[in-house]
Amino acid sequence: MNALGVKTLLVNPPLIGGIAFTRQGRCQEREEVLGTTKPPYTLALTAAMLRDRGQDVRLVDLTATARSIDDLIAQLDAERFQPTLIVFPSTTPTIDADAAAIARLKARYGAPMFCFGPHASCTPQESMERAPAVDGMFVGEPEDGILALAALDSIDALDQIPNLTFRRGGAIIPHRAHGSFTGFLQAPFPAWDLLDLTRYRVPLADKPYVIVETSRGCPYSCDFCVAPIHQGHKFREKSAKALVDEIEHVYRTFGLSYFYLWGDTVTLNVKTFGAFCDELIARKLPIQWFGNARADNLTDAAFVARLKASGCWMLALGIETESDETRKDMMKRLEGEKIRLAIKNMRAAGVKSFGFFILGYPGETPANLDRTIDYAIELDPDFANFYPAVPYPGTDLYAKAKREGLLASEDWSRMEYSYYLLRGNGLDEPKVMDAINRGRRRFFLRPSYLVRHTGDVSRLALSKWRVVGHIASRMLFGAPVTDEIGRAHV
């Protein structure tokens, strides 16, 4: 075989300054945000497809294993595996560090390097300019493009891949199309056998888990979100049988009983997702699953009870703010009464709720931040987290902030939930981050909450003590965040 991908290295980049980041789909956050770094599903799926085509593949997750580039080089040399193609995921805040790390592999083996992620989908030209060692970036869903790349005879034929922005000489050649994985509905099972699955653990339960992708695309247009830019607005979902077949395969092959159902809103289509629940119930698999949902999909108590009966353990809800008007500004079409009803139904069914709240959206004042914190306490989900509004380049929120002169910084390494990069209406980074710490204190240190969740808090502290320590130090004492090059930011 003379293809470019005859020996393909799929690699999740290493820790950045000791910090673990998720680089999967639209997710680009530190481990402490959800208490886990997600398994590299896209890499595992790509590995399975390349392997099915007869190509020699290595899949390495340097973040999950806390290994260095030097460790990987030693491993590859010992195995006499000299890659002919290197592919890695990245994100907006990590692209500089990731590209520099993977460039060492390119220099060692002379193999071209390509990446994918929300940064590439949202701003491919600028992303390429930031990472001069990268030969190309996939815009949109990367799978078809990676398969086409691996089948090329030469790097000189990159113009045959429509969703690739690539480098030719000193010029950056723009992509011609947005990638959409044509084989999504018939995709093979991911090559989880190539990873140490004990490295990916569910907070609270402290059990290993993997991702099962239920759907792609988001029909909504929240202005802060990169999901519809990365995967498009067209909602595509796998059949109930295909999903349960995959869950049963993982359960019987690897012995895992926890699953993250991966989709921007897994419960969006109540009819088809209800069929999935029925299939799970019928097979009597002793598994538990969690995922993302919208509150307005959970207003039917009977449907939520079916979710629980199928093994639903926890659902995360993007609530964002107490203000209906601010949600409208965000293009987040969600009514307050439906949020209340969803949490009520989840509590009645025994499904844990995790509410996400955004502080510091353009137009908000310090009083708005306190009202959202009060609202989170009033709603009383089982868990909550408070995040600063992040203006990811390429989103409508970024365009709005740029247009209205609200950007205090365009440092990509700080475009994540540890920092606030906007200003206006009396808000700046110290005030918003202080409000976030105040919100966490007020929510989690309530005596009634601690009594009700004593078991959860204890399990989290034991299973994720380093993460809990980082969060607690900022929540209680306002400890600074340290970025990847050792600078401290309040």
Side-chain angles (χ1 to χ4, degrees):
M1 183 183 293
N2 195 33
L4 188 62
V6 63
K7 290 185 178 291
T8 300
L9 174 63
L10 304 173
V11 55
N12 196 29
L15 303 173
I16 300 176
I19 302 297
F21 277 85
T22 285
R23 306 173 183 87
Q24 172 54 48
R26 69 178 174 86
C27 295
Q28 42 188 336
E29 73 276 346
R30 295 182 183 220
E31 180 182 19
E32 65 190 47
V33 171
L34 293 176
T36 182
T37 51
K38 297 181 181 70
Y41 169 85
T42 303
L43 290 181
L45 176 60
T46 302
M49 293 187 291
L50 290 172
R51 193 165 59 180
D52 287 348
R53 292 188 174 197
Q55 289 164 321
D56 195 359
V57 179
R58 293 292 187 277
L59 171 54
V60 180
D61 188 343
L62 295 177
T63 284
T65 55
R67 295 171 60 202
S68 68
I69 293 292
D70 288 335
D71 290 336
L72 177 54
I73 289 173
Q75 173 192 331
L76 297 177
D77 288 349
E79 296 174 357
R80 297 185 179 179
F81 183 89
Q82 182 159 342
T84 58
L85 175 64
I86 301 169
V87 179
F88 68 99
S90 190
T91 69
T92 303
T94 66
I95 180 56
D96 294 351
D98 292 345
I102 305 303
R104 293 185 57 206
L105 296 172
K106 177 181 179 179
R108 172 76 173 193
Y109 299 108
M113 56 187 271
F114 297 81
C115 78
F116 60 90
H119 64 295
S121 296
C122 293
T123 53
Q125 176 78 24
E126 188 172 355
S127 296
M128 287 289 289
E129 291 170 355
R130 299 183 70 94
V134 174
D135 293 285
M137 296 187 183
F138 296 97
V139 178
E141 297 171 3
E143 291 88 354
D144 284 351
I146 296 174
L147 292 179
L149 172 67
L152 293 179
D153 293 332
S154 166
I155 196 172
D156 296 330
L158 295 180
D159 55 1
Q160 296 181 22
I161 303 174
N163 70 316
L164 186 67
T165 292
F166 63 94
R167 206 178 305 278
R168 176 170 287 165
I172 296 172
I173 310 302
H175 64 288
R176 305 190 309 276
H178 195 93
S180 181
F181 180 27
T182 56
F184 171 61
L185 298 182
Q186 297 81 35
F189 298 150
W192 295 124
D193 58 295
L194 298 180
L195 294 167
D196 178 1
L197 298 182
T198 64
R199 300 284 182 166
Y200 313 100
R201 308 191 77 83
V202 180
L204 301 176
D206 194 28
K207 300 289 186 181
Y209 76 102
V210 295
I211 287 172
V212 171
E213 190 174 29
T214 63
S215 57
R216 290 197 178 188
C218 181
Y220 301 101
S221 301
C222 303
D223 72 351
F224 52 83
C225 186
V226 302
I229 303 174
H230 187 54
Q231 291 193 335
H233 287 286
K234 184 178 180 181
F235 185 71
R236 297 155 284 155
E237 56 185 336
K238 292 183 179 177
S239 70
K241 182 180 183 305
L243 292 173
V244 181
D245 283 349
E246 186 170 341
I247 288 172
E248 185 167 10
H249 164 75
V250 172
Y251 170 71
R252 299 199 184 283
T253 304
F254 303 104
L256 269 61
S257 57
Y258 278 84
F259 295 85
Y260 186 173
L261 297 192
W262 181 254
D264 203 57
T265 306
V266 297
T267 59
L268 181 64
N269 189 329
V270 171
K271 181 179 179 180
T272 56
F273 200 77
F276 161 78
C277 293
D278 292 342
E279 183 75 14
L280 260 181
I281 293 167
R283 296 201 201 180
K284 298 180 180 179
L285 295 171
I287 63 96
Q288 297 192 65
W289 61 266
F290 54 103
N292 297 327
R294 276 180 60 100
D296 49 10
N297 301 144
L298 305 174
T299 56
D300 180 354
F303 176 60
V304 178
R306 282 170 81 192
L307 301 180
K308 176 63 177 179
S310 72
C312 182
W313 170 60
M314 181 166 62
L315 291 173
L317 307 176
I319 298 169
E320 323 308 3
T321 174
E322 59 84 29
S323 169
D324 287 340
E325 289 303 313
T326 301
R327 276 195 293 271
K328 288 179 183 177
D329 289 344
M330 295 174 172
M331 302 298 290
K332 178 96 177 184
R333 302 192 300 272
L334 183 61
E335 300 168 17
E337 283 306 309
K338 292 182 177 178
I339 295 171
R340 297 178 188 278
L341 183 55
I343 291 178
K344 176 183 176 182
N345 288 340
M346 292 169 70
R347 181 151 290 147
V351 175
K352 292 185 183 295
S353 54
F354 196 140
F356 296 156
F357 299 89
I358 293 175
L359 300 186
Y361 185 81
E364 288 195 320
T365 66
N368 291 122
L369 310 189
D370 286 326
R371 283 197 289 269
T372 291
I373 294 169
D374 291 341
Y375 180 59
I377 293 170
E378 179 191 351
L379 288 174
D380 197 24
D382 291 294
F383 304 97
N385 214 340
F386 303 90
Y387 309 110
V390 179
Y392 293 114
T395 63
D396 288 342
L397 174 57
Y398 175 86
K400 177 191 296 185
K402 188 88 169 174
R403 185 174 59 250
E404 297 178 8
L406 302 177
L407 280 174
S409 171
E410 294 196 54
D411 180 351
W412 279 26
S413 71
R414 289 162 55 87
M415 286 185 174
E416 45 112 341
Y417 295 133
S418 299
Y419 310 104
Y420 182 68
L421 304 184
L422 303 176
R423 62 188 170 202
N425 281 351
L427 296 182
D428 56 18
E429 184 171 34
K431 290 180 181 177
V432 171
M433 300 312 293
D434 178 68
I436 286 171
N437 291 330
R438 185 169 67 251
R440 291 170 177 167
R441 286 196 301 272
R442 291 188 56 205
F443 186 91
F444 289 107
L445 298 184
R446 292 172 290 156
S448 61
Y449 181 88
L450 292 172
V451 169
R452 193 169 74 244
H453 291 278
T454 298
D456 290 334
V457 172
S458 299
R459 284 189 292 273
L460 185 60
L462 289 173
S463 63
K464 294 287 182 178
W465 62 273
R466 288 184 184 275
V467 172
V468 171
H470 291 158
I471 296 172
S473 66
R474 291 204 294 275
M475 181 175 76
L476 297 174
F477 309 115
V481 174
T482 302
D483 69 17
E484 70 277 6
I485 57 174
R487 295 171 298 173
H489 298 291
V490 175

